[in-house]
């Protein structure tokens, strides 16, 4: 029901409606010079928003709507790490969009704010930021909170970032390995990553019970939650549950470490008073060691890439490398190391021609 009345020199419209609890509420807007202006505005509200309650939601700022959407659709349904990413997006929304309301969000305004964000962030970061906001706004569109999609055809740009070195070459890999002190816990974690290609959480999940010292085999069937300290966790995927062979030197080093530290059978090797080292600390140790040796800077995860690259260059099949890394399928390995595979393919083509030329 809509009613109109004059308040002083201006007109006001009043729309009566029921909220979700069945309680009657009123939506009032005033300041119209003519009654016809008030009638036009009220008609637009009723036309654009099938349910006047949704108009109330359109009065929310983008930040407040995103926060409400986050609690409704993401809390409890995504991992803690993913939820933290959404929460970080909310923080940026408050900084970039301020108190801009959903009903005032146009395509040009949205693009302007995304461009502003892109001035100080990489393309990948901007793309993720936009993707998460868009997901919330598409739900708002489905619920008739907004009448069009302000994120449609958004152009994503970003700050240019110098590509980082992802892996060491064979000689640098060997130099690093030969200069790590296996008696030092942090150095040993780096060493294991370099010679096995294991993920950080997988390494922290190693217990003496996982090692078959007589045959030099290591069973990888769990990880350790070093971020939230909840203990053992499942592996990343089913393919990550695997058994990998170790060289005799690595087997001996791990056996000596277990004996020196009297590690119980089902206790992770690298806990100190029940706490595992955080990845930032290990990355710092790795950086210091690489600088000391005059080697290129890579991250701890780069050791995994290094291990895979070395194996591929040494002629190990993509299938075997994929299984050793615990990839969910061989396609993941092929796409990740496509540049290496193409380089090796060119070498193979030369070998094929040389063989045929001898006929």
């Amino acid at each position: 029901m809509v009613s109109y009345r004059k308040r002083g020199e201006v007109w006001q419209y009043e729309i009566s409606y029921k909220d979700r609890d069945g309680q009657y509420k009123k939506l009032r807007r005033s300041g119209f010079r003519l009654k016809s202006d008030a009638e036009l505005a009220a008609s637009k509200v009723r036309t654009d928003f099938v349910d006047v309650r949704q108009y109330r939601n359109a009065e929310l700022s983008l930040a407040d709507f995103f926060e409400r959407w986050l609690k409704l659709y993401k809390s409890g349904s995504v991992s803690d790490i993913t939820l933290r990413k959404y929460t970080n997006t909310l923080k940026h929304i408050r900084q970039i969009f301020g108190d801009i309301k959903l009903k005032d969000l146009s395509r040009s305004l949205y693009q302007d704010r995304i461009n502003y964000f892109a001035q100080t962030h990489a393309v990948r970061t901007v793309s993720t930021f936009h993707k998460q906001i868009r997901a919330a706004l598409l739900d708002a569109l489905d619920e008739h909170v907004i009448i069009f999609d302000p994120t449609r055809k958004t152009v994503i740009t970003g700050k240019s970032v110098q590509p980082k070195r992802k892996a060491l070459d064979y000689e640098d890999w060997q130099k690093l390995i030969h200069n790590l002190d296996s008696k030092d816990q942090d150095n040993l974690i780096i060493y294991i990553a370099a010679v096995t290609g294991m993920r950080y959480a997988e390494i922290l999940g190693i217990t003496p019970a996982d090692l078959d010292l007589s045959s030099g085999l290591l069973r990888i069937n769990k990880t350790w939650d070093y971020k939230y300290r909840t203990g053992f966790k499942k592996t990343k995927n089913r393919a990550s549950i695997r058994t990998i062979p170790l060289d005799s030197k690595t087997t001996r080093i791990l056996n000596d470490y277990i004996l020196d530290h009297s590690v119980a059978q089902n206790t992770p090797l690298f806990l100190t008073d029940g706490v595992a080292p955080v990845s930032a600390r290990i990355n710092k140790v790795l950086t210091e060691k690489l600088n000391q040796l005059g080697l290129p800077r890579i991250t701890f995860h780069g050791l995994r890439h290094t291990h895979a690259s070395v194996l591929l260059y040494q002629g190990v099949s993509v299938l075997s490398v994929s299984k050793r890394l615990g990839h969910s399928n061989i396609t993941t390995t092929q796409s990740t190391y496509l540049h290496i595979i193409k380089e090796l393919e060119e070498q193979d083509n030369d070998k094929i021609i040389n063989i045929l030329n001898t006929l």
Side-chain angles (χ1 to χ4, degrees):
M1 177 180 173
V2 186
S3 62
Y4 306 92
R5 68 170 174 167
K6 194 169 186 180
R7 298 173 59 90
E9 297 297 321
V10 297
W11 282 85
Q12 170 187 284
Y13 72 73
E14 180 179 281
I15 303 176
S16 299
Y17 68 97
K18 282 185 179 180
D19 65 14
R20 295 186 185 279
D21 297 323
Q23 300 296 315
Y24 276 101
K25 296 289 180 68
K26 296 182 184 296
L27 174 67
R28 298 186 183 92
R29 290 290 181 273
S30 62
F32 302 99
R33 189 172 63 85
L34 302 174
K35 183 180 180 181
S36 58
D37 293 335
E39 290 174 337
L40 181 62
S43 175
K44 186 172 183 351
V45 169
R46 292 169 63 84
T47 301
D48 290 347
F49 301 92
V50 178
D51 188 335
V52 178
R53 291 173 299 185
Q54 305 296 24
Y55 183 86
R56 288 290 193 187
N57 288 334
E59 291 285 317
L60 290 172
S61 68
L62 172 61
D64 288 342
F65 179 83
F66 188 88
E67 183 175 20
R68 182 182 293 184
W69 176 84
L70 184 57
K71 290 177 181 177
L72 183 61
Y73 292 103
K74 299 303 176 182
S75 294
S77 64
V78 297
S79 68
D80 291 337
I81 295 175
T82 301
L83 185 60
R84 184 173 293 185
K85 292 177 181 177
Y86 277 104
T87 303
N88 191 50
T89 292
L90 174 59
K91 182 185 75 173
H92 286 307
I93 290 174
R94 292 199 185 283
Q95 294 171 345
I96 303 300
F97 288 89
D99 296 326
I100 295 173
K101 296 179 180 179
L102 290 181
K103 68 183 184 68
D104 297 327
L105 196 57
S106 63
R107 281 186 59 203
S108 58
L109 177 56
Y110 181 80
Q111 182 70 66
D112 176 73
R113 295 295 80 201
I114 289 295
N115 290 348
Y116 180 79
F117 184 71
Q119 292 177 12
T120 54
H121 294 84
V123 173
R124 184 175 178 181
T125 303
V126 177
S127 178
T128 301
F129 182 59
H130 161 69
K131 180 180 178 181
Q132 293 182 350
I133 297 175
R134 180 173 169 78
L137 288 178
L138 287 179
D139 280 342
L141 184 63
D142 286 345
E143 296 170 8
H144 305 291
V145 174
I146 54 178
I147 59 175
F148 67 93
D149 175 15
T151 69
R152 190 173 70 87
K153 293 186 178 181
T154 299
V155 178
I156 302 300
T157 58
K159 185 179 178 182
S160 60
V161 179
Q162 286 292 103
K164 295 181 180 178
R165 183 78 174 265
K166 289 187 177 181
L168 300 175
D169 60 27
Y170 182 66
E171 291 183 359
D172 290 343
W173 175 71
Q174 284 189 313
K175 187 174 182 180
L176 173 64
I177 290 173
H178 293 153
N179 284 277
L180 291 169
D181 180 7
S182 60
K183 299 289 184 182
D184 176 80
Q185 183 191 80
D186 295 348
N187 274 232
L188 181 54
I189 290 174
I190 294 170
Y191 176 87
I192 293 173
V195 298
T196 67
M198 291 173 67
R199 302 177 178 94
Y200 186 61
E202 291 174 344
I203 294 174
L204 295 184
I206 299 173
T207 68
D210 300 322
L211 287 161
D212 185 343
L213 297 173
S214 61
S215 57
L217 295 175
L218 172 61
R219 291 181 290 274
I220 303 169
N221 50 33
K222 57 191 174 304
T223 65
W224 184 262
D225 182 8
Y226 61 92
K227 290 186 177 179
Y228 301 104
R229 302 182 181 181
T230 60
F232 288 117
K233 292 179 63 177
K234 293 181 180 180
T235 54
K236 184 175 182 180
N237 51 56
R238 290 184 61 128
S240 296
I241 300 175
R242 60 202 189 276
T243 299
I244 62 173
L246 302 176
D247 61 276
S248 57
K249 178 182 176 182
T250 301
T251 303
R252 185 183 70 254
I253 287 174
L254 286 173
N255 186 44
D256 290 345
Y257 184 88
I258 291 169
L259 294 175
D260 291 344
H261 293 80
S262 302
V263 184
Q265 277 294 293
N266 294 301
T267 301
L269 268 58
F270 303 112
L271 296 190
T272 302
D273 296 326
V275 179
V278 296
S279 58
R281 181 179 112 191
I282 304 300
N283 262 304
K284 182 180 179 182
V285 173
L286 173 60
T287 298
E288 291 173 349
K289 178 61 70 172
L290 293 171
N291 288 338
Q292 175 188 332
L293 298 173
L295 299 178
R297 162 83 169 95
I298 63 168
T299 63
F300 183 87
H301 192 73
L303 295 172
R304 180 171 165 84
H305 290 311
T306 297
H307 184 74
S309 301
V310 166
L311 296 182
L312 290 170
Y313 277 124
Q314 293 300 312
V316 179
S317 71
V318 177
L319 178 60
S320 295
V321 172
S322 181
K323 288 182 177 180
R324 187 171 177 87
L325 293 181
H327 281 163
S328 56
N329 54 64
I330 194 172
T331 304
T332 303
T333 314
Q334 290 172 326
S335 59
T336 304
Y337 302 103
L338 181 62
H339 62 293
I340 297 175
I341 294 171
K342 283 186 175 180
E343 186 176 335
L344 293 173
E345 183 182 2
E346 291 175 2
Q347 295 177 11
D348 286 343
N349 287 336
D350 291 340
K351 290 179 183 177
I352 292 170
I353 296 301
N354 288 334
I355 291 171
L356 295 175
N357 282 337
T358 62
L359 294 177

